[in-house]
Amino acid sequence: MRSLLLIMVLVASADAESLWEAELRLGYGVAMGGGGGMTSTRPTPLTVAAVGAVAVRDEPYTYGYGGLVFETLDRNAVGVLAGVRLVPRDSRVRLAGGGVLMFAPYTLWGATASAGLCRGGSIRICGDLQLTAYFAGSDLAAGHTVTHLQFVLGIVFDAL
Amino acid sequence: MRSSADHAATTWSWLLSMVAIVLLGACDSEICARHSDCVSGQVCSASGACAIAPDDASPSDSSDGGSDAVVIDAAPDATTDATLDGGP
């Protein structure tokens, strides 16, 4: 009886991908600015994101995600993000790509891509390297673009 | 299969982390690229320097309260001070 219970637990937790996920993400890294014939590097704001994801395909596991993103520490800004995330079967790797729109107090449009690893069961700790290129919006100085290279620590909760 | 993909991801993560650490060490916060890199009341110029925002050059979004502070601080200083000081 005990063996049967153990097998059931193992089967239930073995690489079972969830239909819905919620994730809290904290990102920090380097912002590289370009334009006007010069480049600059400076620390990024601390980026906090609350993201929900829903599985839309199972081979490979593909999630659509969306959520809110906040910038804090040296400024306060809020925006939204959305995209898709792939989880190759039999791997802890996850890949994601999408878009970001910061809308207050200034606007900022960007594209983002990330790759990372997760560990754990129904609650997972994930580490991602994330590249975000901001190319338009009222927050950008004339003729400038900004690229963020961030390490992102995420806590993922399986919702279903 | 699993181990090689994970190994590759770990290696790339490590390499990019090292690059990020090196770049962080070389940060130059004096140069801006976003208006929000500058303190309240300043905007980022095309040359990458923060400058006091003239009224008509502030970013299009008006939700930033910074430009108001600049107007108060920049122009009426002498007049206001003189008036206040000269009174009582």
Side-chain angles (χ1 to χ4, degrees), chain B residues 10-83:
Chain B
T10 305
T11 304
W12 276 106
S13 299
W14 185 84
L15 283 173
L16 286 173
S17 297
M18 291 301 105
V19 171
I21 289 169
V22 169
L23 288 173
L24 266 176
C27 278
D28 179 7
S29 297
E30 300 299 314
I31 302 174
C32 62
R34 295 170 57 178
H35 297 302
S36 56
D37 290 337
C38 304
V39 298
S40 180
Q42 294 189 339
V43 294
C44 184
S45 67
S47 64
C50 291
I52 293 176
D55 275 347
D56 56 354
S58 57
S60 56
D61 193 313
S62 60
S63 57
D64 173 44
S67 54
D68 289 344
V70 172
V71 174
I72 292 168
D73 287 347
D77 229 8
T79 311
T80 310
D81 289 351
T83 308

Side-chain angles (χ1 to χ4, degrees), chain A residues 30-35 40 42-47 69-72 74-79 100-110 132-148 150, chain B residues 29-40 42-51 59:
Chain A
V30 184
M32 292 161 286
S40 64
R42 57 188 298 143
T44 65
L46 178 66
T47 305
V69 59
F70 305 90
E71 288 184 341
T72 186
D74 61 345
R75 75 199 72 195
N76 291 306
V78 62
V100 184
L101 166 62
M102 304 303 294
F103 56 78
Y106 305 129
T107 60
L108 202 57
W109 294 86
T132 306
Y134 292 108
F135 50 82
S138 65
D139 196 18
L140 285 178
H144 283 251
T145 59
V146 176
T147 302
H148 287 183
Q150 290 182 305
Chain B
S29 297
E30 300 299 314
I31 302 174
C32 62
R34 295 170 57 178
H35 297 302
S36 56
D37 290 337
C38 304
V39 298
S40 180
Q42 294 189 339
V43 294
C44 184
S45 67
S47 64
C50 291

Side-chain angles (χ1 to χ4, degrees), chain A residues 9-31:
Chain A
V9 168
L10 287 175
V11 168
S13 62
D15 288 336
E17 302 295 341
S18 55
L19 288 179
W20 292 85
E21 290 180 354
E23 181 174 7
L24 184 65
R25 296 165 64 84
L26 297 175
Y28 191 70
V30 184

Side-chain angles (χ1 to χ4, degrees), chain A residues 55-81:
Chain A
V56 293
R57 190 179 167 190
D58 67 352
E59 191 57 50
Y61 268 105
T62 307
Y63 291 85
Y65 70 84
L68 287 172
V69 59
F70 305 90
E71 288 184 341
T72 186
L73 275 192
D74 61 345
R75 75 199 72 195
N76 291 306
V78 62
V80 292
L81 58 102

